[in-house]
Amino acid sequence: MFDLNNGWNLSFAGCGFLGIYHIGVASCLLEKAPYLIKGATKLYGASAGALTASVLASQAAITKCCEDVLEVAKEARKRNLGPLHPTFNLVKVIRSGLTRDLPSDAHVLASGRLCVSLTRVSDGENVLVSEFSSKEELIQALICSCFIPIYCGLIPPSFRGVRYVDGGISDNLPQSELKNTITISPFSGECDICPRDNSTSFHELRFTNTSIQINLGNMYRLSRALFPPEPKVLAEMCQSGYKDALRFLEENNLLMLQHPSPGPALPESPASCCCKQTETTKEWVLRRLLLLQKQHWWLDEHIALPTPIKKVFCEACQDKSGLYAKVSEMLPVRVASYMLMPYTLPVQSAYSVAQRFVEWIPEVPADVRWLFGVAGEVYRQAWKGQSVHSISEPCLRKCLSEPPLPSECDSAMPRDILPALSSFDLHGNYWEIPKSTSSSAHPHPPLIAPSSPQQVCFFVGSQDESPSPAPQ
């Protein structure tokens, strides 16, 4: 049972194009339990989850958000290489959608409630941003949270002068460890609202605070996170999010039964009766085929989605009208397009590079300064490592004779009284072969060499102490 007495938070996991699952969850919460969103203390999100959290925090239309997700997916699918095609600019599409759909006072409504998960490029630490001074700053924070390195570009975007990348790299499910946080993830695992796969696997993968059960269903979802499926599959994912959220509300008695809202609900399971015959597989297939023949099959009563969301998917799944659209979908034309790709791809890449360079010109000074800073930091780290290595391994000196005696000794010294040499004197002197008297400008009297190396005395300590005589 989920306790709401001490307040609660909502946390949406990052999931790429599977963010359509969050749309289904949000539509269910807005329809069946809107107090969970209006009364939430914080709305956390990373990557695609941050986009859904921003829509809820700014009170934007959830239908517009669904249209944006489908638009991005269709824009990526209409190219041969999908989102990896050089002409596909994910950041540009997301920015235009946020600018169009978010209200003008979105930053005022989101400040203090919306917490966007970011990953700082300099040290890889996670940063939660919750204060925004303008709508453009809010959009820039969301762009940073959705920026996947190499997949979205090479130079990461900046927020308030600091470079950030996808928040899912450091914390994909912010504040999931708090007891009063309702966690939402499109991957089957241990989150509060997530798919329930019929799998016997007990193994799970922990990816930056996100629980992902190791099964075939999650493998398929992971493959679709960066490569969007067709709109019909996205509609099924949205429907799955709606059903999972409704199941969570029913299990925790969070439905607003005293104020029911009109709209479709989960199909109630009929009472078991021995007289009723179970539907066979053949009958199920025939029923689905008859359902697909309808013009607006998404509006069928068996699909538990709000009517506005159904209409959005219905329009997205309709076949394109026109001769060009029908010809381009033919198999020979598609095969020919793949065969001509080695010739058309360089031209399209050159055009895309030129277009992006023109758009990049206003940001060139800041990006160049950042690149020089990164190069300088790498050089300093490399030089620091080299200096530490040189200090740890000092060079050795080869001794060819005994250390030179002090120059102030002008007379011969007795054999029993030898000069005291400290370790500091040895470190400052070079042991060299004695030079001839002819090459010396100030010749010294000949000194009596010790009879054996044992007669050279060393001491460590104060020079005021008198050295002990050497053993005879």
Side-chain angles (χ1 to χ4, degrees):
M1 185 67 63
F2 195 84
D3 187 15
L4 301 179
N5 295 328
N6 299 326
W8 64 92
N9 306 315
L10 296 177
S11 182
F12 295 87
C15 52
F17 286 101
L18 301 184
I20 196 68
Y21 180 90
H22 294 324
I23 302 299
V25 173
S27 61
C28 179
L29 296 180
L30 289 173
E31 187 179 33
K32 301 297 182 181
Y35 66 92
L36 285 179
I37 296 177
K38 295 180 180 179
T41 306
K42 297 288 185 180
L43 297 175
Y44 299 97
S47 190
L51 299 179
T52 305
S54 65
V55 171
L56 297 177
S58 61
Q59 301 178 7
I62 195 67
T63 307
K64 294 292 184 180
C65 183
C66 184
E67 292 178 357
D68 291 341
V69 176
L70 291 177
E71 178 185 355
V72 176
K74 293 173 67 175
E75 188 72 16
R77 285 181 55 83
K78 71 180 184 180
R79 294 168 173 81
N80 292 333
L81 297 179
L84 300 181
H85 199 276
T87 59
F88 178 70
N89 193 342
L90 180 60
V91 175
K92 184 178 180 180
V93 176
I94 294 178
R95 186 186 297 274
S96 62
L98 293 174
T99 305
R100 179 179 62 252
D101 296 334
L102 289 181
S104 57
D105 59 342
H107 61 285
V108 179
L109 299 174
S111 295
R113 291 193 66 206
L114 175 64
C115 296
V116 182
S117 176
L118 305 175
T119 301
R120 193 162 48 212
V121 176
S122 58
D123 54 2
E125 293 294 329
N126 182 260
V127 178
L128 290 177
V129 181
S130 60
E131 297 294 334
F132 313 97
S133 59
S134 62
K135 178 182 176 181
E136 289 73 19
E137 194 174 72
L138 171 61
I139 294 176
Q140 187 65 20
L142 296 175
I143 292 296
C144 292
S145 183
C146 296
F147 187 89
I148 303 176
I150 300 178
Y151 183 84
C152 296
L154 298 178
I155 300 178
S158 62
F159 177 74
R160 296 175 182 172
V162 182
R163 301 283 172 168
Y164 295 98
V165 292
D166 193 341
I169 298 177
S170 56
D171 192 354
N172 196 48
L173 197 61
Q175 302 298 326
S176 60
E177 67 277 0
L178 298 181
K179 186 178 180 180
N180 61 336
T181 299
I182 302 176
T183 55
I184 304 167
S185 172
F187 303 103
S188 176
E190 297 181 355
C191 294
D192 296 322
I193 301 178
C194 66
R196 302 291 176 85
D197 295 337
N198 296 326
S199 175
T200 58
S201 175
F202 293 98
H203 303 282
E204 70 168 359
L205 173 66
R206 281 281 177 177
F207 176 75
T208 60
N209 294 338
T210 305
S211 173
I212 302 177
Q213 188 181 14
I214 300 179
N215 53 38
L216 294 178
N218 279 337
M219 291 182 182
Y220 173 77
R221 297 184 185 101
L222 288 173
S223 65
R224 292 302 185 181
L226 299 180
F227 298 91
E230 57 183 359
K232 295 180 181 180
V233 179
L234 292 176
E236 294 178 1
M237 294 180 180
C238 185
Q239 175 189 352
S240 176
Y242 187 95
K243 289 183 177 181
D244 294 337
L246 187 58
R247 182 181 62 248
F248 170 78
L249 296 177
E250 291 176 347
E251 291 177 353
N252 294 273
N253 296 329
L254 299 177
L255 286 173
M256 295 182 59
L257 299 180
Q258 63 276 16
H259 299 289
S261 57
L266 282 175
E268 298 180 357
S269 57
S272 59
C273 179
C274 59
C275 300
K276 185 175 180 180
Q277 186 178 3
T278 307
E279 184 181 25
T280 62
T281 305
K282 182 179 179 180
E283 294 175 351
W284 181 85
V285 172
L286 293 176
R287 183 174 61 83
R288 295 294 295 180
L289 290 177
L290 293 176
L291 180 63
L292 292 175
Q293 291 178 0
K294 294 183 179 181
Q295 183 179 3
H296 300 285
W297 65 280
W298 291 112
L299 300 180
D300 187 77
E301 58 183 3
H302 293 283
I303 299 180
L305 279 177
T307 302
I309 303 295
K310 289 182 182 180
K311 291 182 179 180
V312 172
F313 284 111
C314 181
E315 295 175 358
C317 295
Q318 287 180 351
D319 296 333
K320 298 179 181 179
S321 59
L323 180 61
Y324 175 77
K326 294 181 179 180
V327 171
S328 60
E329 293 296 331
M330 297 176 62
L331 181 60
V333 177
R334 294 182 62 86
V335 172
S337 64
Y338 280 102
M339 294 179 63
L340 294 176
M341 188 181 298
Y343 305 98
T344 59
L345 187 60
V347 179
Q348 295 175 350
S349 300
Y351 174 76
S352 176
V353 169
Q355 186 179 10
R356 294 196 181 194
F357 180 77
V358 173
E359 298 175 354
W360 182 53
I361 289 178
E363 302 177 0
V364 166
D367 292 344
V368 169
R369 285 195 300 269
W370 177 76
L371 290 175
F372 273 105
V374 171
E377 184 66 23
V378 171
Y379 177 78
R380 283 192 295 270
Q381 293 293 336
W383 180 258
K384 181 179 179 181
Q386 183 179 2
S387 61
V388 171
H389 181 73
S390 61
I391 293 175
S392 61
E393 296 182 2
C395 57
L396 299 178
R397 296 173 180 174
K398 186 176 181 180
C399 301
L400 300 180
S401 65
E402 71 273 8
L405 298 178
S407 59
E408 59 269 10
C409 301
D410 296 335
S411 60
M413 300 178 62
R415 296 173 59 92
D416 297 339
I417 303 176
L418 297 177
L421 300 177
S422 67
S423 59
F424 299 100
D425 298 330
L426 293 178
H427 181 73
N429 296 328
Y430 289 92
W431 293 14
E432 301 175 351
I433 301 176
K435 300 180 181 179
S436 60
T437 57
S438 60
S439 62
S440 176
H442 302 282
H444 298 284
L447 300 177
I448 301 175
S451 59
S452 64
Q454 296 180 354
Q455 294 180 351
V456 180
C457 300
F458 299 90
F459 77 94
V460 179
S462 175
Q463 294 183 359
D464 297 337
E465 300 176 2
S466 59
S468 59
Q472 298 295 333

